[in-house]
Structures are given as C-alpha cells and as structure tokens.
Amino acid sequence: MRTMNKKRLSLLLAGLLACGMMMAQAQDSVHINLDKAIEIALSEAPTMRIADRSVDIKREYKKEQIVSLFPDVSLASNYNRTLLKQTMSMDMGGQTMNIKVGRDNTYSVGANLSLPLVSFPLWSSLKLSSMDIDLALEAARSSKIDLINQVKQAYYTYLLAKQSYDVLKANYDNLDSSNRLVVQSYEQGLVSEYEKLRSEVALQNQKPTVNSAATAIKLSAMRLKVILGMDVNEPVIFDGQLSDYEQMVLNATMPSEQDLQLAYNSALRQMDMGIEQLEQSKKIVRGSSLPMLALAGAFQYSGMGDDGQKFTNYPYSYVALSLQVPIVGWASTHYKLKQSDLSIQNMQDQRLDLERNLRLGVQSCVNDMEQAIEDLASDSETMRQAQKAYDIAQKQYEVGMNTWLDLRSTELALLTSQLTYCQAIFDYLVAKANLDATLGKEQ
C-alpha cells in the first residue's frame, strides 16, 4: 500500500510539474495578429533598416557637395636644405665672374584660399543630389510596400496551412469513427473482411497527409518569423482563421477604374525620377562647356639664410580671379549630350513597357478577386450541403441502409468542399494584397 501511495504521489507531482511547464510556456508565447505582424516587420526587418540607411547616405553626400560652395582654406609649409648652390656666370667688363646663388636654408609657411563664384556643373550636381535623396526615399517606400505584401502573403499562407490541417484532421477523425463502425459491424458479422480491410487502409493512407499538413504549419510559421525579423525558435502564436475573412470577401466590392490608377506605383515613380536625373545630368554636361569663375588668394611667410647667420624673412600675399573658358571642349560635349538623349529614350521605352505589364497585372488581380468571390459564394453553400449529406450518410450506415463506399464518397465530397472553401478565401486575400502593392498602397 505504501508503495502504491508513493507511486501515486510521484505521478501526481509529475503531472503538476508538466501542467506548470505547459502553463509557463503558454504564458511566454506571444499572440500576434496580422496588424501586429506588419508593425513588427516595419520596425525589425533588416530591409527597412537598410533602406533608411540608404536615404541617410544620400543626405550626407548632398551635405558634402554643399561644402564645395564655401571657401576652401588650406595651410602649407615647406623647408629646403641646399646641398649644392647654383652657380651663375656673369660677364663683368670682359671678365667672367662666377657667383653662387641661394642660401643654405629656405622655409615658407602660408595659407591658401579658393572659392568657386560661377560654376554651372557644381550647381547642377547639387540639384542632382537632391533628386538622389528623393529617389532613395521612394526606394525606401517601395521596400516598405514589398515588405507589407510579403508579410500579408506569408500570414495568409500560414492561415491556409492551419485551416487545411484542421480540415484534414477532422476528416481523419471522421474516417476513424467510420472505421470503428466498420470494425464493430465486422465483429457482428454484418460486413465482410474485405470492407473492414478497405476501411483500415483508407484510414492509414490519411495519416501521411495529416502529418504533411502539420509540417506545413511549422514551415509557414518559421518563414513568417524570418520575414518579421524574429528568431524562428521564439514562441509565437499567430491568431486568426481564414474563415474570419469570409464575410469580408462575400461583401467585397470591386474597385473602380479611378481606384486602379498607377499614380502611386513605386516602380513607375522611380522610373520617372530616373528620367529626371538623366535630364539633370544633361545640364551638368552642358554646364561643363560654360565659363567658370573662381576666387583665389594666398598669404605666405618665407625666410632664408646660411648656417650661423641671421635669417632674412619675406611676407607675400595675393588675391586673384580665375576665369576658365572652354574652347575645344564643346565637341565632346555634343556627343555626350547625344548619349544622354539616347539613354533618356531608352528609359522612356522601359517605363512604357513596365506600365503595360503593371496594368496587365492589375487586371489579373481584379479577375482573381472576382473569381474568388464567385467561388466562395458557391463553395460555402456546397460545403454546407456536403456536411448535411455526410451526416445523413453516417446515420444511414449506422442502421445499415447504405454501404461503406457511400459513406466514403460523402467524406471525400465534404473534404473537397472544405479545402476548396479555404482556397477561395486565400486566393482573394492574396490577389487583394498583390493589387494593393501594385497600386502603391502602404497599408
């Protein structure tokens, strides 16, 4: 008796410990819905941090160019030690006199100043830098839109995998229940051994499908965590069911032609900015053939002297205006402008081709949404009818009014209708997410 009580006490303690661990794990798990997932991705995903840094790089580069408009002041110093002085020969009254020129030591210290006053290429480059910042901001917006689309599709894929598993598990439970009825009928001599074996084989064949569905849930959850910038081993529970979106899909209205405009499509906007940059580059090329005016100045303090003698010091300063007028450079400028024109034409054609493909993609998304709505309206009713047919067939089989094949056919019809129902909702949600991304919607 004491041994039995000890065993019971040990089992009770083990059960309490296991329950405590399960409760702690449940408390540690974080519940995340779709909106929260998007929020986490925008703050934690590496792609967003990279996009933000790209904008900062462009801004710092513009500041670097602005500095070029300010005076450039530099300090310079020099020291020379003469090893062998230069000898000069002079004719003095018919006699040649050799004179050594220079000092043993020479030094100079000074400051130099330069300031561009008129520089068309520099001014155009500053404008181009501003356009680079705008392009980087648009690229960051594009990364945000793409990331939101990825999160949505990964989340919907997870919901599809989870609900497909629930459907397959319910079908397996139905098969198990039917199999027990067949076994009981066989033991009572009401059905043949062949029907019993066929029922058991059908039950066993369903196990790999259920296991594959469970694995699909794990993989889709891991992929979603990676997109969110989370550790794949972090305990997270993603909330929601595909069936939660049924009424939203059934009550959805198709967007009008005005709603399908591509004015906010990020790819097209980046192409437009690229064309503007090429136009600005033409101005830089054209400005390089124009005169440039600069201000220059210097102040130097130099001295020289021989070893053991006092140094003689000389201050020196100047201010100057420098004007550069290109004369022959216009020839190469002409060909550079031709190259720029051809590049602009190429990009315009690329934009036209991109716009056509995007419009085709928009129409494809709209068609998929319409088809999904029609399919869901039909699948919802079909699923209810299949469930009713299965319930009737199960009752009839229990009382011996139909065969196992009749029951099995209703099970397969129910399974197919449930999976098709889930697929219709998934197709609509994915098409809607792709459409929003194509139209440049950020939410």
Side-chain angles (χ1 to χ4, degrees):
M1 289 293 294
R2 290 180 180 178
T3 303
M4 292 293 294
N5 289 335
K6 289 182 180 180
K7 288 183 178 180
R8 291 176 180 175
L9 180 60
S10 299
L11 291 174
L12 179 61
L13 292 175
L16 291 175
L17 180 61
C19 291
M21 293 177 63
M22 293 175 63
M23 292 178 63
Q25 184 175 4
Q27 292 177 354
D28 292 339
S29 299
V30 179
H31 287 262
I32 296 177
N33 57 19
L34 178 57
D35 294 335
K36 186 64 176 179
I38 294 175
E39 180 183 346
I40 293 173
L42 294 179
S43 61
E44 299 295 335
T47 54
M48 295 308 303
R49 294 197 295 268
I50 293 173
D52 292 338
R53 292 193 195 102
S54 298
V55 176
D56 293 336
I57 290 173
K58 297 297 183 181
R59 286 174 175 162
E60 295 300 325
Y61 178 70
K62 182 181 178 181
K63 294 177 183 178
E64 177 188 351
Q65 289 193 310
I66 291 176
V67 174
S68 303
L69 298 175
F70 293 92
D72 183 16
V73 179
S74 61
L75 296 176
S77 62
N78 184 42
Y79 169 76
N80 291 329
R81 172 67 180 181
T82 303
L83 300 178
L84 183 62
K85 295 180 181 179
Q86 185 179 7
T87 302
M88 297 181 61
S89 297
M90 302 180 64
D91 189 0
M92 304 292 292
Q95 294 183 353
T96 301
M97 180 181 294
N98 296 325
I99 302 174
K100 291 187 178 295
V101 180
R103 294 289 185 265
D104 294 337
N105 302 287
T106 304
Y107 73 90
S108 64
V109 177
N112 299 318
L113 169 70
S114 63
L115 174 65
L117 299 179
V118 178
S119 179
F120 294 101
L122 179 58
W123 298 340
S124 299
S125 296
L126 289 174
K127 177 64 176 176
L128 186 61
S129 297
S130 299
M131 298 171 69
D132 280 340
I133 295 176
D134 294 338
L135 182 59
L137 288 171
E138 185 59 35
R141 192 179 78 91
S142 176
S143 298
K144 178 181 178 181
I145 293 172
D146 290 341
L147 180 60
I148 291 175
N149 189 28
Q150 290 180 30
V151 172
K152 286 182 178 180
Q153 298 209 29
Y155 203 96
Y156 297 147
T157 301
Y158 170 80
L159 295 182
L160 177 64
K162 185 169 67 170
Q163 194 145 348
S164 297
Y165 170 80
D166 293 339
V167 169
L168 292 171
K169 184 64 170 61
N171 177 257
Y172 179 82
D173 293 339
N174 291 337
L175 283 175
D176 186 49
S177 177
S178 301
N179 182 66
R180 287 197 297 269
L181 289 175
V182 172
V183 172
Q184 291 175 5
S185 300
Y186 171 75
E187 291 175 350
Q188 296 173 6
L190 301 177
V191 298
S192 65
E193 183 179 5
Y194 173 72
E195 187 165 341
K196 169 179 170 293
L197 292 175
R198 190 163 49 180
S199 174
E200 291 176 346
V201 170
L203 179 64
Q204 293 299 322
N205 287 338
Q206 194 66 16
K207 280 186 177 180
T209 305
V210 175
N211 293 335
S212 298
T215 303
I217 295 178
K218 295 179 182 179
L219 293 178
S220 58
M222 292 173 64
R223 180 175 180 271
L224 182 54
K225 291 178 184 178
V226 170
I227 295 176
L228 298 182
M230 303 172 63
D231 190 331
V232 294
N233 296 319
E234 188 170 347
V236 175
I237 297 176
F238 296 105
D239 297 329
Q241 295 283 341
L242 277 179
S243 55
D244 298 340
Y245 297 91
E246 178 181 0
Q247 291 304 316
M248 184 198 77
V249 176
L250 293 176
N251 299 330
T253 57
M254 289 297 98
S256 62
E257 288 294 330
Q258 186 65 27
D259 297 331
L260 298 178
Q261 299 301 314
L262 296 172
Y264 294 99
N265 179 267
S266 184
L268 287 180
R269 295 182 68 171
Q270 290 184 61
M271 293 287 285
D272 291 335
M273 292 179 180
I275 294 174
E276 292 178 2
Q277 284 184 321
L278 289 177
E279 294 285 357
Q280 189 64 28
S281 299
K282 282 182 60 178
K283 296 181 180 179
I284 296 177
V285 174
R286 191 178 292 113
S288 63
S289 63
L290 298 176
M292 290 183 290
L293 181 64
L295 174 67
F299 175 82
Q300 291 185 353
Y301 195 84
S302 59
M304 60 182 64
D306 293 326
D307 293 336
Q309 295 182 2
K310 184 178 180 180
F311 276 58
T312 304
N313 300 314
Y314 306 95
Y316 169 71
S317 63
Y318 73 89
V319 176
L321 287 175
S322 173
L323 177 64
Q324 285 186 327
V325 181
I327 297 177
V328 185
W330 63 268
S332 61
T333 301
H334 172 74
Y335 295 114
K336 290 180 181 178
L337 292 175
K338 282 287 188 181
Q339 297 173 31
S340 299
D341 290 335
L342 293 173
S343 298
I344 292 173
Q345 293 173 12
N346 284 340
M347 186 163 287
Q348 289 173 340
D349 287 339
Q350 291 173 4
R351 187 195 183 284
L352 179 61
D353 183 65
L354 175 62
E355 183 177 3
R356 290 172 177 172
N357 283 281
L358 288 173
R359 292 194 181 280
L360 179 61
V362 167
Q363 189 59 48
S364 176
C365 291
V366 172
N367 293 341
D368 291 343
M369 291 166 60
E370 291 177 343
Q371 185 65 46
I373 293 175
E374 294 178 2
D375 291 344
L376 181 61
S378 174
D379 294 338
S380 299
E381 181 62 26
T382 302
M383 186 175 64
R384 284 188 285 269
Q385 293 176 352
Q387 182 66 54
K388 185 177 181 180
Y390 170 75
D391 294 338
I392 295 174
Q394 188 177 34
K395 293 297 183 182
Q396 289 179 341
Y397 184 80
E398 291 176 357
V399 298
M401 293 180 62
N402 62 8
T403 65
W404 178 84
L405 285 177
D406 296 329
L407 178 61
R408 179 58 180 157
S409 63
T410 57
E411 288 174 345
L412 290 176
L414 177 61
L415 174 63
T416 302
S417 64
Q418 289 173 332
L419 292 177
T420 306
Y421 163 84
C422 297
Q423 188 66 44
I425 298 177
F426 175 79
D427 291 343
Y428 175 87
L429 294 175
V430 170
K432 182 66 167 58
N434 288 330
L435 179 63
D436 290 343
T438 304
L439 297 178
K441 296 182 179 180
E442 299 182 19
Q443 287 293 345

